[in-house]
């Protein structure tokens, strides 16, 4: 689907939190996962800036591991603060999506 | 960092050189992207550009990692290099020219209004 970028902006961080929350992973794998989900526009640079933000906000634990090729890769896992933030994201998401659904169904 | 380096930013020249050495090892399309990244990040720089150094370092790190993966630079950065740079810089708290202009405007407006007795 095209033209998702604007709509995804606020939610992508939550998606990344969820992906990291299920297993420790790295930027390229996160991007691939999002692409497989159908978010084809998402590039690694986008994910990277989100990861930087998560790291700065102290939500992830970062481990550098040597990779077969090139410089060591950074692996990300959620810490306690990250897990709390993930829960908050789903609460917010639930709120927004239920309101929007209600709007479309014409209820109040 | 000693006083002389703080004032003149002379240590930054060394860092720049180190960046360029690393960038020279990248594939052609990545080198072109690096030039673009530098151009887009410069407006976010402070006087000496010291605040940009960690940002440039991390951007170069991403380029190195992904180039080693054999990805094309387009797969990594997409079409919006400028947006990528803005996201990098904003996250680091780098103050852009735009913010400074806005502040200046606010200040001037406040002063003028103050003079009018408003």
């Amino acid at each position: 689907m095209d033209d998702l970028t604007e709509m995804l902006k606020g939610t992508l961080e939550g998606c990344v939190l969820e992906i990291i929350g299920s297993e420790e992973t790295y930027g390229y794998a996160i991007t691939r996962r999002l692409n497989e989900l159908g978010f084809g526009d998402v590039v690694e640079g986008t994910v990277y800036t989100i990861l930087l933000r998560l790291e700065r906000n102290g939500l992830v634990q970062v481990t550098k591991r040597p990779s077969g090729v090139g410089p060591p890769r950074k692996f990300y896992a959620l810490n306690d603060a990250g897990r709390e933030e993930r829960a908050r994201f789903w609460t917010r998401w639930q709120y927004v999506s239920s309101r929007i659904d209600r709007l479309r169904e014409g209820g109040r | 960092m000693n006083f002389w380096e703080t004032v003149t930013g002379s240590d930054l020249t060394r860092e720049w050189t180190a960046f360029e050495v690393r960038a020279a090892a990248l594939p052609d399309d990545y080198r072109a992207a690096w030039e673009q990244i530098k151009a887009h990040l410069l407006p976010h720089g402070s006087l000496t550009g010291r605040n940009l150094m960690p940002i440039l370092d991390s951007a170069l790190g991403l380029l190195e990692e992904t180039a080693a993966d054999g990805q094309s630079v387009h797969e990594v950065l997409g079409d919006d290099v400028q947006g990528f740079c803005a996201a990098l810089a904003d996250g680091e708290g780098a103050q852009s020219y735009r913010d400074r202009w806005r502040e200046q405007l606010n200040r001037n407006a406040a002063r003028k209004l103050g003079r009018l007795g408003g």
Side-chain angles (χ1 to χ4, degrees), chain A residues 2 6 15 17 19-20 26-28 30 41 53 57 75 96 101 106:
Chain A
D2 295 331
E6 281 302 315
C15 297
L17 277 172
I19 294 171
I20 302 174
Y26 56 96
Y28 182 62
I30 297 169
D41 284 351
R53 203 161 52 232
N57 294 340
F75 280 77
V96 171
D101 284 345

Side-chain angles (χ1 to χ4, degrees), chain A residues 10-31:
Chain A
T11 45
L12 218 43
E13 188 165 316
C15 297
V16 171
L17 277 172
E18 180 59 32
I19 294 171
I20 302 174
S22 57
E23 62 171 341
E24 189 191 47
T25 182
Y26 56 96
Y28 182 62
I30 297 169
T31 312

